Amino acid sequence: MSVALIIPDRKLDGVIAALQQQLPEVAIEVWPQLQNPAAVDFAVLWKQPPGVVAALPNLKALQSFGAGVDSILSDSTLPPDLPLARIVDPHLTASMLQYLDTVLNYYRLRFDEFSANQQQQLWKPRSPRRIQQICVLGLGELGAAAAQHFAALGYQVSGWSGSQRQISGVQCFAGPNQFSAAVAQADMLICLLPLTPATENLLNKTRLAQLKPGSILVNVARGAIVDDEALLAALHSGQIAAACLDVFRTEPLPAEHPFWHTPGMLLTPHISAVTNADTAVAQIAENYRRVQAGLPMVNQVDRTRGY
Ligand code: NDP
Ligand code: OXD
């Protein structure tokens, strides 16, 4: 019995040490140096290369190292019946809220304009931007927390999800037919949807046209939920005044991508809520023990629905 960490391009020393402490009786293997693939019965994954999981013959369960599972499920060779769990963590939620607060105030206080003015040595004082209505797409762990947080701060908040939600202080909408009603009045739209076949390119030309003219888009979910070309056109026409993107279709964002040089774009390199190694390890260890005891894992995802 062993746990395999299949998490390319990430320093794992701290995770390995913490996992060894939590599971002293279990061997921790790190891909690509797996000593005994046949002994691996639990794999922790993040952007694993396709085919690597399928090559482990005795797996009992899979654990995402992050909240999202889209990159894990995009591997068409993934054994279909293995249960998959993800990280759900108050630390992750807290950092997402901190990021969103910062972004909201950046735009509210017009730091985008002042920073552009600085390039031209322009002194142009202006009063804060009117951001009163916020719409959150996705009302799961992170989206519901964001919606509640901004409602508690006094913003008028709407939210949109797949099934109907009830969140105190938040006007909740559900399903494709209610998308335009959810977003119509929003000065700022925050995307916290998972990337699934149903949400890929969801924010296309048609849906961006349903936003309030001059609104601000914040995408902290996954890049492929937004149609890049449609977003560039919406920024160009002024339909969207500004876009803050933490996530991209291809990461790192390729050097030749127009987003790098588009006025009105604020880009951050997928840092809005980074997995906290300590809390992640506690959840991984708990799920490992549950699998060994024949119990269902915590925070298991529905593989057919994709989140
Ligand atoms: P959850 O799975 O808890 O919630 C997903 C929400 O999206 C649910 O409310 C769900 O609806 C809704 N949803 C899913 N599909 C649709 C659809 N087709 N139409 C309308 N609503 C839909 O996810 P989390 O809140 O934990 O995380 C959201 C995403 O944020 C993650 O999948 C990940 O991609 C991203 N993320 C990004 C991070 C970063 O650093 N940038 C960090 C962490 C996460 P319903 O309520 O009906 O199920
Ligand atoms: C996640 C992420 O899904 O970091 O956890 O994007």
Side-chain angles (χ1 to χ4, degrees):
M1 286 179 334
S2 66
V3 172
L5 304 180
I6 308 175
I7 307 175
D9 303 330
R10 197 150 176 162
K11 258 182 84 39
L12 291 173
D13 301 357
V15 175
I16 297 165
L19 209 47
Q20 267 163 350
Q21 216 170 16
Q22 295 257 353
L23 299 172
E25 70 289 2
V26 181
I28 311 296
E29 294 246 48
V30 181
W31 184 87
Q33 281 93 30
L34 299 182
Q35 306 297 318
N36 187 359
V40 175
D41 59 356
F42 189 92
V44 184
L45 310 174
W46 188 249
K47 296 190 178 173
Q48 84 280 3
V52 170
V53 174
L56 301 173
N58 295 314
L59 276 172
K60 291 184 189 152
L62 306 172
Q63 165 78 55
S64 170
F65 192 62
V69 293
D70 48 288
S71 73
I72 296 172
L73 295 177
S74 71
D75 177 355
S76 62
T77 67
L78 205 69
D81 299 325
L82 288 178
L84 169 65
R86 71 188 188 111
I87 299 295
V88 173
D89 177 9
H91 284 88
L92 205 65
T93 307
S95 38
M96 184 58 84
L97 296 186
Q98 193 176 32
Y99 179 95
L100 293 173
D101 270 339
T102 307
V103 169
L104 175 61
N105 284 314
Y106 174 88
Y107 287 115
R108 208 178 57 77
L109 297 175
R110 298 186 189 273
F111 279 19
D112 53 333
E113 287 182 23
F114 297 140
S115 142
N117 289 350
Q118 185 182 339
Q119 305 305 312
Q120 302 171 63
Q121 290 187 241
L122 281 178
W123 182 272
K124 280 175 72 174
R126 288 194 68 187
S127 50
R129 210 182 241 125
R130 252 172 74 98
I131 300 180
Q132 290 180 326
Q133 305 220 10
I134 296 177
C135 175
V136 183
L137 302 181
L139 293 173
E141 290 292 334
L142 298 174
Q148 276 169 320
H149 172 74
F150 289 121
L153 289 177
Y155 292 92
Q156 288 163 43
V157 181
S158 60
W160 184 70
S161 54
S163 55
Q164 187 65 48
R165 296 274 162 149
Q166 294 213 325
I167 302 172
S168 156
V170 178
Q171 197 179 3
C172 293
F173 297 86
N177 294 340
Q178 293 189 8
F179 177 88
S180 61
V183 301
Q185 305 302 323
D187 303 303
M188 177 174 276
L189 184 73
I190 297 172
C191 179
L192 270 167
L193 291 162
L195 176 61
T196 68
T199 62
E200 186 166 2
N201 289 319
L202 182 105
L203 296 178
N204 58 15
K205 185 177 171 196
T206 308
R207 291 205 185 76
L208 290 177
Q210 293 168 355
L211 307 193
K212 182 173 171 180
S215 55
I216 294 169
L217 172 68
V218 181
N219 186 12
V220 278
R222 285 295 181 265
I225 296 171
V226 179
D227 175 337
D228 289 3
E229 292 303 321
L231 175 57
L232 286 167
L235 270 169
H236 190 66
S237 71
Q239 167 62 8
I240 290 193
C244 170
L245 308 178
D246 183 50
V247 287
F248 306 89
R249 201 165 280 272
T250 305
E251 295 180 1
L253 184 64
E256 65 282 6
H257 200 288
F259 282 179
W260 285 113
H261 304 292
T262 301
M265 284 266 182
L266 175 64
L267 312 183
T268 56
H270 201 141
I271 48 74
S272 52
V274 177
T275 297
N276 173 308
D278 292 337
T279 37
V281 162
Q283 286 184 33
I284 294 165
E286 180 184 354
N287 271 341
Y288 179 81
R289 288 194 204 96
R290 292 177 74 94
V291 168
Q292 299 309 325
L295 296 170
M297 293 188 287
V298 293
N299 302 319
Q300 206 160 307
V301 304
D302 178 343
R303 284 188 54 175
T304 51
R305 149 181 113 151
Y307 67 98

